[in-house]
Amino acid sequence: LLQVAALERQIFDFLGYQWAPILANFLHIMAVILGIFGTIQYRSRYLMMYAVWLVLWVGWNAFIICFYLEVGRLSQDRDFIMTFNTSLHRSWWMENGPGCLVTPVLNSNLAPEDHHVITVSGCLLDYQYIEVVSSATQIFLALFGFVYACYVSKVFLEEEDSFDFIGGFDSYGYQAPQKTSHLQLQPLYT
């Protein structure tokens, strides 16, 4: 479920040319793959790394929520953090949200020559709230994944500590077969 949600988010960020979220989503997808690998291969270190990544992922998604709700000094009109200040692109949902009607503004002096000005109206849900819901979903899934990773990692570490090699600390009555006398080496005295 985490992987599907991350891939969905990656697709829509690619469509909106949101480079910072694309990079973060890529790192998240790699971390999820390592977390799955750690679970399958009984590697608690991969799961611990995944849990640490999820803490960072929650922080990133909290930042995205604050950015789209313009908490504090963050402003979508002024800050182009999501595109690394390389373009004027916005979220894909801005123009393609549910029920949105996009109307181009002709002969506008507000935009540079290579851009066009549009007005968006009639949206059932503004793009900011779609992005906030997406980030909130990621936070919920990350919290679930964090608890899972910590629990499974703890179980793997307990199994490593309790593993007993054959003939180890507690042999449970197992005795190695004794060699017969004609096969045993005898010391040679000269």
Side-chain angles (χ1 to χ4, degrees):
L1 193 57
L2 285 166
Q3 191 76 351
V4 171
L7 288 173
E8 171 267 329
R9 186 154 178 194
Q10 183 78 316
I11 290 168
F12 289 114
D13 287 338
F14 261 117
L15 291 172
Y17 302 105
Q18 303 287 309
W19 301 116
I22 289 170
L23 179 62
N25 292 333
F26 176 76
L27 293 174
H28 180 64
I29 290 168
M30 291 295 108
V32 170
I33 290 170
L34 285 175
I36 293 170
F37 177 77
T39 303
I40 293 171
Q41 294 293 319
Y42 300 100
R43 310 271 185 184
S44 61
R45 289 184 187 210
Y46 287 127
L47 288 171
M48 286 186 266
M49 182 275 317
Y50 176 64
V52 169
W53 168 255
L54 287 177
V55 171
L56 297 173
W57 185 244
V58 167
W60 169 253
N61 282 288
F63 168 76
I64 289 177
I65 290 172
C66 292
F67 178 76
Y68 281 108
L69 294 178
E70 296 185 345
V71 174
R73 305 188 101 208
L74 294 172
S75 171
Q76 296 176 48
D77 297 329
R78 186 189 65 218
D79 299 327
F80 296 101
I81 297 169
M82 297 301 174
T83 60
F84 292 132
N85 291 329
T86 59
S87 69
L88 299 174
H89 288 98
R90 300 275 191 236
S91 171
W92 182 82
W93 293 107
M94 182 178 185
E95 296 179 25
N96 301 298
C100 291
L101 178 64
V102 177
T103 308
V105 176
L106 303 174
N107 299 329
S108 175
N109 295 332
L110 298 174
E113 292 178 19
D114 59 341
H115 287 81
H116 61 280
V117 177
I118 59 170
T119 59
V120 180
S121 60
C123 294
L124 298 176
L125 188 62
D126 288 337
Y127 74 97
Q128 297 98 332
Y129 302 119
I130 294 173
E131 293 286 353
V132 166
V133 167
S134 176
S135 291
T137 303
Q138 292 290 329
I139 288 173
F140 174 74
L141 292 173
L143 293 175
F144 173 75
F146 180 81
V147 170
Y148 165 80
C150 290
Y151 174 74
V152 173
S153 179
K154 178 183 172 278
V155 168
F156 289 169
L157 287 173
E158 286 176 356
E159 285 180 6
E160 286 177 9
D161 291 342
S162 65
F163 184 75
D164 182 31
F165 294 98
I166 295 175
F169 302 116
D170 298 324
S171 61
Y172 300 108
Y174 175 80
Q175 298 294 327
Q178 298 294 324
K179 295 181 182 179
T180 58
S181 62
H182 71 281
L183 292 178
Q184 289 182 348
L185 297 176
Q186 301 295 328
L188 180 63
Y189 298 101
T190 55

